[in-house]
């Protein structure tokens, strides 16, 4: 270990044990698993001297290739970024002590101000060192890397106080990220057992637990590195997509050079078939990849509605997305999807759902949709002000999507929620009017521009309703949205 560290690693670990930042016993983790060890490193902020020591050890671990087998010396970094939120104080200390600019990654974009996901001054192509407190599966580091990559900041290395040795280092390596660690779980147990802070039995029980709970590297499907492409083209996404409907959507987007979904928020089928479509669909149709409907607001619905809709979709090569937002128990949503007045499964290529009821809702919808080659979008984020969808809710949504790839196509969201190219990200509340971005619609809707959605937040499809339907010249508006959205995608390639 470098002589720059003011205290040894052993002394550091013993201090963490003393303040109960490291605990042994029986603890229920967020995943529901019972663990014999728990790390509460948020406590460190109440011990400034210890916080400085941890930060210096992190910095030295990132710079000293010999320290605890870390994979090499880091050079030419332009900035540091702490994984929110526990690692932010460590990144701050490193930034101020070593005069290195710091970036802040938000977990969720604010619905006011600049609405940025990454705060701070940076240049596209610069190299950033990611700081983390504990690595288990590596997913939190990958999320931060993903967000930084979306704004052109590269990451090749991350440094962590404690590597739990549960597969995170391997997953990160496969994603092109070298993980440097101050201490591993094995080393921590050795130090505490040698100092008689824990018994041999406790140390062995933790080792047994770790060995039985190794995270697979399979979920990490995208390699993130300096030399790899930052964004795949729509054609490349079509060729690599695992779901037939996602493959079809990206092929349409590539062929028609559009990422525009039109939200036809009209209240009568007369408006749809006698006002909106007969006059405009032959013009607007070539500019959209998806038509989104709200069938339950149509006052004069009849079975003829779905047949006409399917004919128009075939004629103009777009997919139909019924924005039903299913959110009930499995048995109920199964009937809502397959039967009732609307029989949505018979005409809509895709639907969406909240995961509030739990995995049963996906299982039920899947029983109806899969035999018909339909797909579902999970609602991970909403564009309405002060909505209650939290970061943890978003993460749970992603996990359910990963477990149901045969039916889940992607997400309704306001920013990219996973780096897996098999999932599509669709964003509502899109406008070209920057005044709307500041003011909303007075009913809670918050707006983003096509460039913010595609270029800054990494999403795939812009959903536009009133900006086209209520425009003085809907055709011209559709063309503007198509061109702006598609150009934003091209600039990322």
């Amino acid at each position: 270990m470098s002589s720059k560290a003011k205290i040894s690693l052993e002394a550091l670990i013993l201090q963490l044990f003393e303040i109960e930042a490291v605990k042994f016993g029986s603890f229920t983790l967020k995943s529901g698993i019972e663990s014999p060890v728990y790390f509460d490193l948020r406590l460190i902020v109440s011990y400034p001297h210890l916080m400085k020591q941890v930060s210096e050890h992190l910095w030295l671990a990132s710079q000293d290739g010999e320290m605890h087998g870390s994979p090499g010396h880091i050079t030419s970094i332009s900035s540091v970024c702490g994984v929110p939120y526990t690692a932010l104080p460590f990144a701050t200390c490193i930034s101020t002590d070593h005069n290195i600019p710091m970036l802040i990654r938000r977990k969720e974009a604010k619905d006011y101000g600049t609405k940025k996901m990454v705060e701070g001054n940076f240049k596209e192509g610069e190299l950033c060192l990611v700081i983390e407190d504990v690595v288990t599966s590596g997913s939190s580091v990958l999320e931060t890397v993903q967000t930084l990559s979306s704004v052109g900041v590269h990451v090749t290395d991350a440094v962590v106080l404690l590597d739990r040795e549960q597969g995170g280092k391997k997953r990160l390596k496969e994603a092109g990220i070298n993980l440097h660690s101050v201490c591993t779980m094995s080393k921590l147990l050795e130090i505490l057992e040698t100092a008689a802070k824990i018994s041999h039995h406790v140390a062995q029980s933790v080792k047994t637990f770790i060995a039985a709970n190794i995270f697979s590297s399979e979920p990490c499907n995208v390699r993130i590195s300096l030399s790899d492409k930052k964004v795949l083209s729509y054609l490349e996404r079509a060729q690599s997509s695992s779901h037939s409907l996602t493959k079809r959507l990206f092929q349409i987007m590539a062929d028609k050079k559009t990422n525009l979904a039109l939200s036809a928020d009209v209240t009568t089928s007369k408006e749809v078939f006698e006002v909106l479509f007969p006059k405009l669909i032959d013009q607007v149709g070539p500019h959209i990849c998806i038509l989104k409907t709200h069938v339950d607001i149509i006052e004069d619905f009849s079975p003829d509605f779905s047949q006409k809709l399917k004919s128009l979709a075939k004629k103009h090569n777009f997919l139909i997305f019924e924005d039903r937002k299913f959110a009930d128990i499995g048995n109920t949503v199964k009937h809502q999807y397959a039967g009732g007045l609307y029989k949505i499964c018979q005409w809509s290529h895709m639907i969406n759902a909240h995961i509030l009821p739990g995995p049963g809702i996906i299982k039920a919808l899947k029983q109806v949709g899969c035999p018909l080659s339909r797909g579902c979008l999970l609602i991970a984020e909403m564009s309405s002000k002060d909505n209650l969808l939290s970061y943890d809710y978003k993460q749970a949504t992603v996990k359910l999507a990963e477990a149901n790839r045969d039916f889940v196509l992607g997400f309704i969201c306001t920013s990219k929620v996973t780096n897996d190219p098999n999932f599509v990200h669709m964003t509502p509340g899109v406008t070209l009017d920057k005044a709307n971005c500041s003011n909303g619609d007075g009913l809670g809707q918050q707006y983003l521009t096509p460039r913010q959605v595609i270029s800054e937040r990494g999403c795939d499809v812009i959903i536009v309703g009133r900006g086209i339907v209520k425009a003085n010249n809907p055709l011209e508006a559709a063309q503007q949205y198509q061109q702006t959205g598609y150009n934003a995608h091209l600039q990322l390639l």
Side-chain angles (χ1 to χ4, degrees):
M1 184 182 71
S2 170
S3 61
K4 291 182 181 180
K6 296 180 180 178
I7 64 173
S8 67
L9 175 62
E10 288 75 11
L12 182 70
I13 296 303
L14 291 174
Q15 286 190 31
L16 293 175
F17 180 81
E18 190 67 27
I19 68 169
E20 296 188 336
V22 182
K23 302 177 182 180
F24 296 87
S26 180
F27 307 92
T28 302
L29 302 180
K30 182 178 176 181
S31 61
I33 297 174
E34 291 293 322
S35 170
V37 62
Y38 182 70
F39 298 92
D40 188 4
L41 300 182
R42 292 179 292 267
L43 289 172
I44 297 175
V45 297
S46 296
Y47 301 86
H49 178 70
L50 183 56
M51 183 167 63
K52 295 278 283 185
Q53 292 294 334
V54 167
S55 301
E56 187 62 18
H57 273 273
L58 283 164
W59 175 248
L60 292 173
S62 74
Q63 298 299 299
D64 188 350
E66 296 301 315
M67 188 170 189
H68 305 299
S70 54
H73 186 77
I74 299 175
T75 59
S76 304
I77 63 167
S78 301
S79 56
V80 295
C81 180
V83 176
Y85 292 105
T86 306
L88 290 180
F90 307 145
T92 303
C93 289
I94 291 172
S95 174
T96 56
D97 288 349
H98 299 277
N99 196 31
I100 300 173
M102 175 178 165
L103 304 178
I104 297 177
R105 172 220 160 195
R106 292 186 180 277
K107 280 191 174 182
E108 298 173 304
K110 300 296 184 183
D111 56 12
Y112 54 83
T114 62
K115 303 181 181 179
K116 293 179 180 178
M117 290 296 289
V118 177
E119 301 288 355
N121 290 323
F122 54 86
K123 295 179 181 178
E124 185 169 350
E126 76 172 49
L127 198 60
C128 180
L129 172 66
V130 170
I131 315 293
E132 178 62 303
D133 61 332
V134 178
V135 162
T136 304
S137 68
S139 59
S140 294
V141 171
L142 286 172
E143 288 164 12
T144 297
V145 172
Q146 170 194 320
T147 303
L148 292 169
S149 297
S150 72
V151 296
V153 176
H154 294 298
V155 178
T156 58
D157 293 80
V159 61
V160 63
L161 175 58
L162 178 71
D163 177 6
R164 289 181 57 116
E165 300 178 296
Q166 289 182 252
K169 183 175 182 178
K170 181 181 178 182
R171 290 189 73 211
L172 290 169
K173 186 66 176 178
E174 292 176 351
I177 308 299
N178 290 321
L179 181 66
H180 306 250
S181 60
V182 172
C183 189
T184 62
M185 178 70 85
S186 299
K187 185 65 176 179
L188 178 139
L189 294 173
E190 177 189 323
I191 291 171
L192 293 177
E193 186 178 356
T194 300
K197 298 297 183 181
I198 60 173
S199 67
H200 179 71
H201 173 74
V202 168
Q204 286 301 120
S205 69
V206 173
K207 291 177 182 178
T208 301
F209 169 80
I210 296 298
N213 290 276
I214 301 296
F215 285 83
S216 167
S217 60
E218 293 178 0
C220 184
N221 296 308
V222 178
R223 182 178 177 83
I224 306 169
S225 72
L226 193 61
S227 60
D228 285 336
K229 291 187 66 175
K230 188 164 58 177
V231 174
L232 297 175
S233 70
Y234 295 143
L235 182 58
E236 289 170 324
R237 297 279 292 277
Q239 293 169 343
S240 63
S241 292
S242 56
H243 195 290
S244 61
L245 195 55
T246 312
K247 187 182 294 290
R248 181 179 171 189
L249 172 60
F250 281 119
Q251 188 66 55
I252 290 172
M253 294 166 69
D255 292 344
K256 298 177 71 174
K257 295 180 171 57
T258 183
N259 50 26
L260 173 62
L262 173 64
S263 181
D265 295 333
V266 293
T267 57
T268 68
S269 59
K270 181 178 180 180
E271 285 183 273
V272 175
F273 296 117
E274 295 182 21
V275 180
L276 181 61
F277 284 118
K279 296 180 181 179
L280 296 177
I281 198 62
D282 285 324
Q283 296 176 317
V284 174
H287 304 284
I288 65 174
C289 58
I290 292 172
L291 178 72
K292 183 174 78 73
T293 60
H294 278 119
V295 69
D296 54 358
I297 69 172
I298 295 178
E299 299 168 0
D300 56 347
F301 177 86
S302 69
D304 189 48
F305 170 90
S306 57
Q307 291 303 316
K308 290 181 178 179
L309 206 58
K310 288 166 64 177
S311 296
L312 288 168
K314 183 177 181 180
K315 178 180 178 182
H316 297 288
N317 192 26
F318 58 76
L319 299 181
I320 303 169
F321 164 29
E322 167 51 29
D323 190 4
R324 179 62 177 77
K325 295 185 178 70
F326 292 100
D328 216 318
I329 61 171
N331 185 62
T332 300
V333 299
K334 186 175 180 180
H335 290 296
Q336 290 172 329
Y337 188 21
L341 179 64
Y342 305 120
K343 296 178 175 58
I344 296 169
C345 69
Q346 295 182 9
W347 51 270
S348 181
H349 298 101
M350 61 187 78
I351 54 170
N352 58 358
H354 290 284
I355 65 159
L356 283 168
I361 188 172
I362 301 176
K363 181 179 180 181
L365 292 171
K366 185 192 296 191
Q367 289 177 1
V368 176
C370 275
L372 299 173
S373 299
R374 303 308 193 197
C376 179
L377 300 163
L378 298 184
I379 301 167
E381 298 174 320
M382 295 186 70
S383 57
S384 54
K385 185 177 181 180
D386 297 330
N387 70 78
L388 302 180
L389 301 192
S390 67
Y391 175 77
D392 288 342
Y393 183 91
K394 177 173 66 176
Q395 294 306 105
T397 302
V398 173
K399 288 182 179 179
L400 281 178
E402 291 173 344
N404 293 275
R405 295 172 181 271
D406 57 339
F407 184 56
V408 177
L409 310 175
F411 308 92
I412 299 297
C413 51
T414 57
S415 59
K416 194 173 185 179
V417 299
T418 175
N419 226 26
D420 189 331
N422 286 293
F423 291 122
V424 62
H425 295 73
M426 301 190 190
T427 302
V430 179
T431 182
L432 288 170
D433 186 349
K434 292 186 177 180
N436 282 341
C437 291
S438 301
N439 303 325
D441 69 350
L443 295 175
Q445 177 67 292
Q446 302 294 294
Y447 290 99
L448 296 167
T449 66
R451 181 176 178 79
Q452 286 176 313
V453 171
I454 303 297
S455 300
E456 298 178 14
R457 301 193 172 204
C459 296
D460 303 307
V461 175
I462 57 174
I463 301 175
V464 182
R466 285 167 283 187
I468 295 175
V469 176
K470 301 296 184 182
N472 292 330
N473 188 330
L475 170 59
E476 184 178 293
Q479 290 173 326
Q480 289 177 338
Y481 278 103
Q482 178 198 12
Q483 183 176 11
T484 304
Y486 193 74
N487 284 344
H489 166 68
L490 291 179
Q491 289 171 6
L492 296 175
L493 300 179

